[in-house]
Amino acid sequence: MAYNRYFEDEKMENLDPNNIKRVLAYLKPYKYRVALSLFLMAMAAFADLLGPYLTKIAIDNYILAGDYRGLTIISLIFMGLLAVNGFAVRFRVLIMSKVGHQVVRNIRQDLFQHIQNLSFSYFDSIPAGKIIVRVMNNVNSLQNLLENGLINIITDTFRFLAILLIMLNLNLRLTLISITVMPILIFLIFLLKKKIRIGWRRVQKKRSNMNAYIHESLTGMKITQAFVREEKNSNIFKDLQNDYVSNWMKTVMMSHGIFPIVLLINTASVIIMYLVGIRDLNAGLVTIGTLVALLQYIWRLWQPIINISNFYNQVLVANSAAERIFDVLDTDPDIVDLPEAKVMPEIDGKVEFKNVSFSYEEDGEIILKDMNFEVQPGETIAFVGATGAGKSTIINLMTRFYDIDKGDILIDDIDIQGVKIASLRKQIGVMMQDTFIFSGSIADNIRYGNLEATREDIEEAAKMVYADSFIREMENGYDTEVNERGSRLSVGQRQLISFARTILSDPKILILDEATSSIDTQTEILIQKATQAVLKGRTSFVIAHRLSTIRNADRIMVLEAGEIIETGSHEELMARQGHYHDLYMAQYNRVI
């Protein structure tokens, strides 16, 4: 899968109208509250629609007749209807606001949960900023549709039909004449709908690009300032913003262009009714009360149409957002448990690679080529080689962060493809080269992989990697809060905490990927002594560019272009005077 960069629009399939149906399916648990909202809206609509009819009765039956008592009664009824309308609308808003927030919460939770289960290959292909947009902005875009749009479209549809029937009942001729302009509106809406839909899709893509660049810039802020790139980056962001604003303005102008069209057509229909109505009034074909009521109803007739046209815009915006949400939810993880997968039993630590080949992309460069090796329980294996030789790839395949293209990987003679992923990874401890510290306390970071660990366990793990002393010197010791990515800690301190976290998980197989790359020599010597005890009884894999740190490994495997070209102990490889010997001597001479 090709990587989608911040300045590249994401490619989407054709917009699926079923996306909205899938969003509305989230309303099912709240169907009774939605039904109550519909009932309240029906009450409000009924109260509102009786107003013009009461006006007709008041004019024709009481005002012209001078019946003040009847007029007073009608007025009190009218006031009561206004109160019912206000009450119903207020409580409908409260109910649907809560429902809308709960549905948005559920969609966002499903999205976040699914993202955590996606394979590494997915994150290799999409910038984190674009994923964040889908979890936050795109989900938020659905809220207005859920809170107002759905209920309004149902009530406005019935409201429109009810008004039309009342008008036809009051005066068939005037009603039919006044709505002759409606086909013009329908034609214009269908003419614009495709352009508006495409426009909102483009806006979502531009917003995603902008957010991806913000995330990338914040993550690399130290590098930006170190290389004085602030002005250049500001110009890049300015271009992204201009691109977003330009597309947003074009789409908004098209979307809101419907409203003045509706207003003009509405005004035209009212003018037609005035002109024809006054003539009919003079001819005695209509009463004053009926004409006044019809004029009030004609304004109300167009309000649902305006609302429905606005709702159509909401649907287009929501559908565009839903498309991106379900694009994630419909993405299947590459690495999944097979239907017949079993729980991995407690392992001893035997590891075997049989004719393993792998490439990160289909038909891409082959990273490992027919690799074969066997490791006995308790052995410590070191991988050595240039960058890109395949050292970290071996680790990624052993933990099933990626799946092999061909061959077999066995642990205790069990094919790891046939066991549940979680049961495999729980028994393998990995300290990655790129250490990550989460926001929270230092104790929480060390406990991250073993939530049942006690405070004594945490402190013991920290002591084993010689992190205890610097932790206790901090203002709150183990309870000291650290920032996202551990920005207030040195690189070496972050690695020590990460090392303690790995040890605390008590793995049967321990993997150290450049675990001491950023630790000073003095601390590294102490850690080497401590890890001898930790490695004892565990199968361990160590990746290190600093060759002095792996002299005590049981076996050292030298990799080149995805193949093992040498293997043996430090002494054996030095005596052989091959590739490892040259690497070690070159590094040793540089140190001297």
Side-chain angles (χ1 to χ4, degrees):
M1 186 183 293
Y3 187 75
N4 177 259
R5 292 166 289 183
Y6 70 83
F7 53 84
E8 296 177 322
D9 292 343
E10 297 164 272
K11 293 180 180 179
M12 295 289 176
E13 302 297 329
N14 292 328
L15 203 60
D16 186 356
N18 290 321
N19 285 335
I20 294 298
K21 292 182 182 178
R22 294 176 66 179
V23 171
L24 297 182
Y26 278 87
L27 286 170
K28 189 174 181 180
Y30 311 99
K31 57 186 177 183
Y32 295 115
R33 279 187 260 181
V34 173
L36 177 58
S37 296
L38 283 171
F39 175 72
L40 291 172
M41 284 300 292
M43 284 178 57
F46 177 76
D48 181 59
L49 293 181
L50 278 180
Y53 195 78
L54 291 177
T55 302
K56 171 192 178 308
I57 295 173
I59 294 173
D60 290 345
N61 296 353
Y62 302 121
I63 293 177
L64 294 179
D67 187 347
Y68 293 105
R69 183 176 179 277
L71 184 61
T72 302
I73 294 173
I74 285 289
S75 298
L76 290 173
I77 295 173
F78 189 79
M79 291 174 63
L81 292 174
L82 290 176
V84 169
N85 182 286
F87 169 85
V89 170
R90 175 178 174 79
F91 279 92
R92 194 280 302 177
V93 170
L94 289 175
I95 291 170
M96 287 309 297
S97 179
K98 187 174 182 179
V99 168
H101 277 83
Q102 289 174 331
V103 170
V104 164
R105 177 200 62 191
N106 294 341
I107 294 174
R108 185 174 285 123
Q109 184 65 37
D110 286 352
L111 194 57
F112 183 78
Q113 181 65 38
H114 185 74
I115 286 171
Q116 290 188 104
N117 295 325
L118 290 175
S119 307
F120 277 23
S121 57
Y122 181 80
F123 304 101
D124 291 340
S125 63
I126 299 179
K130 294 193 176 186
I131 299 174
I132 293 171
V133 167
R134 300 188 186 198
V135 178
M136 298 305 299
N137 299 64
N138 294 152
V139 175
N140 285 341
S141 296
L142 303 177
Q143 191 159 335
N144 193 37
L145 175 72
L146 294 167
E147 288 184 14
N148 301 307
L150 175 67
I151 299 297
N152 288 346
I153 190 61
I154 295 173
T155 54
D156 280 328
T157 300
F158 284 110
R159 186 186 179 90
F160 172 79
L161 294 174
I163 293 172
L164 188 60
L165 288 174
I166 293 172
M167 290 180 66
L168 290 170
N169 183 62
L170 286 174
N171 191 293
L172 178 64
R173 180 170 174 273
L174 278 176
T175 300
L176 292 177
I177 292 173
S178 63
I179 63 173
T180 53
V181 291
M182 193 172 292
I184 300 173
L185 174 64
I186 296 172
F187 171 76
L188 291 173
I189 289 175
F190 275 91
L191 190 66
L192 289 173
K193 70 172 186 177
K194 184 177 180 180
K195 291 183 178 180
I196 296 172
R197 184 190 69 207
I198 294 171
W200 283 121
R201 291 186 82 189
R202 191 180 297 115
V203 167
Q204 296 284 4
K205 292 177 182 179
K206 301 304 179 183
R207 178 189 291 166
S208 183
N209 293 349
M210 187 169 62
N211 203 78
Y213 188 70
I214 292 171
H215 181 271
E216 181 179 299
S217 298
L218 292 176
T219 304
M221 189 57 68
K222 290 182 180 178
I223 304 299
T224 296
Q225 294 182 0
F227 286 90
V228 198
R229 276 269 305 196
E230 293 91 341
E231 185 176 352
K232 175 65 175 177
N233 289 4
S234 291
N235 289 333
I236 292 174
F237 185 63
K238 183 179 179 181
D239 291 340
L240 290 171
Q241 274 209 99
N242 289 340
D243 200 16
Y244 168 72
V245 171
S246 174
N247 281 278
W248 186 82
M249 286 300 299
K250 289 177 183 176
T251 305
V252 166
M253 287 179 68
M254 282 192 293
S255 298
H256 291 279
I258 294 176
F259 178 76
I261 293 172
V262 173
L263 193 61
L264 285 172
I265 295 174
N266 183 11
T267 304
S269 67
V270 172
I271 292 172
I272 292 171
M273 181 169 284
Y274 265 116
L275 294 174
V276 179
I278 291 172
R279 190 179 63 181
D280 287 357
L281 184 64
N282 292 331
L285 300 176
V286 65
T287 65
I288 296 176
T290 299
L291 181 58
V292 171
L294 283 171
L295 288 169
Q296 292 185 49
Y297 277 125
I298 193 67
W299 283 108
R300 281 173 167 78
L301 178 69
W302 287 95
Q303 189 58 49
I305 297 176
I306 294 172
N307 293 340
I308 291 170
S309 67
N310 289 333
F311 170 77
Y312 182 74
N313 289 331
Q314 287 181 27
V315 169
L316 293 178
V317 173
N319 204 8
S320 180
E323 170 193 33
R324 305 169 73 79
I325 292 168
F326 290 117
D327 177 67
V328 177
L329 289 174
D330 292 340
T331 299
D332 295 323
D334 296 329
I335 314 300
V336 295
D337 292 332
L338 297 176
E340 65 275 10
K342 299 179 180 179
V343 174
M344 186 75 172
E346 186 172 339
I347 62 178
D348 294 323
K350 179 184 177 183
V351 177
E352 187 176 2
F353 273 53
K354 287 185 175 181
N355 302 314
V356 172
S357 294
F358 174 75
S359 58
Y360 283 100
E361 294 185 9
E362 189 175 350
D363 299 326
E365 178 187 0
I366 298 177
I367 306 301
L368 299 184
K369 305 170 185 176
D370 292 318
M371 180 164 289
N372 290 276
F373 66 81
E374 185 175 325
V375 179
Q376 297 304 316
E379 269 196 290
T380 297
I381 305 298
F383 293 119
V384 173
T387 300
K391 305 184 297 296
S392 294
T393 299
I394 293 174
I395 306 308
N396 288 335
L397 296 178
M398 196 184 307
T399 50
R400 284 199 71 192
F401 290 143
Y402 298 87
D403 271 343
I404 58 178
D405 295 336
K406 70 174 185 176
D408 300 288
I409 299 177
L410 309 177
I411 294 181
D412 289 358
D413 298 319
I414 299 173
D415 191 337
I416 65 172
Q417 300 267 14
V419 301
K420 293 185 180 296
I421 297 170
S423 68
L424 170 69
R425 292 177 183 169
K426 281 181 179 178
Q427 301 190 68
I428 301 177
V430 184
M431 182 179 172
M432 297 185 177
Q433 183 175 356
D434 182 18
T435 59
F436 193 96
I437 301 298
F438 296 90
S439 57
S441 71
I442 292 176
D444 288 338
N445 271 279
I446 297 176
R447 190 191 288 115
Y448 192 82
N450 184 0
L451 298 179
E452 297 179 358
T454 65
R455 185 58 169 256
E456 290 73 21
D457 295 333
I458 294 170
E459 293 178 4
E460 185 62 30
K463 288 175 182 176
M464 291 185 70
V465 298
Y466 296 91
D468 180 73
S469 56
F470 87 78
I471 293 173
R472 291 188 183 278
E473 290 174 359
M474 302 187 78
E475 64 267 25
N476 295 313
Y478 285 84
D479 295 318
T480 301
E481 296 288 323
V482 291
N483 301 330
E484 180 186 359
R485 301 190 70 88
S487 58
R488 62 179 299 193
L489 300 171
S490 70
V491 176
Q493 288 173 333
R494 292 201 295 269
Q495 282 198 303
L496 289 172
I497 291 173
S498 179
F499 196 41
R501 177 168 61 201
T502 303
I503 290 174
L504 186 62
S505 65
D506 192 27
K508 301 298 180 181
I509 296 176
L510 182 62
I511 297 169
L512 305 178
D513 187 353
E514 290 295 330
T516 59
S517 62
S518 301
I519 299 174
D520 62 84
T521 305
Q522 181 73 23
T523 305
E524 184 180 8
I525 293 171
L526 295 175
I527 290 180
Q528 288 299 318
K529 293 179 180 179
T531 52
Q532 294 308 309
V534 174
L535 299 180
K536 191 173 294 182
R538 289 187 173 94
T539 304
S540 305
F541 295 89
V542 181
I543 298 175
H545 287 125
R546 202 178 297 176
L547 301 184
S548 60
T549 64
I550 58 172
R551 292 184 57 168
N552 295 325
D554 295 313
R555 277 188 289 161
I556 298 171
M557 298 183 184
V558 183
L559 275 67
E560 186 176 274
E563 298 179 292
I564 299 174
I565 58 173
E566 289 181 345
T567 184
S569 67
H570 171 76
E571 290 75 15
E572 290 171 344
L573 293 176
M574 290 299 291
R576 203 173 295 168
Q577 294 193 353
H579 193 79
Y580 177 81
H581 172 273
D582 294 341
L583 285 174
Y584 187 86
M585 293 306 296
Q587 196 172 99
Y588 178 78
N589 288 333
R590 280 205 304 273
V591 173
I592 294 299

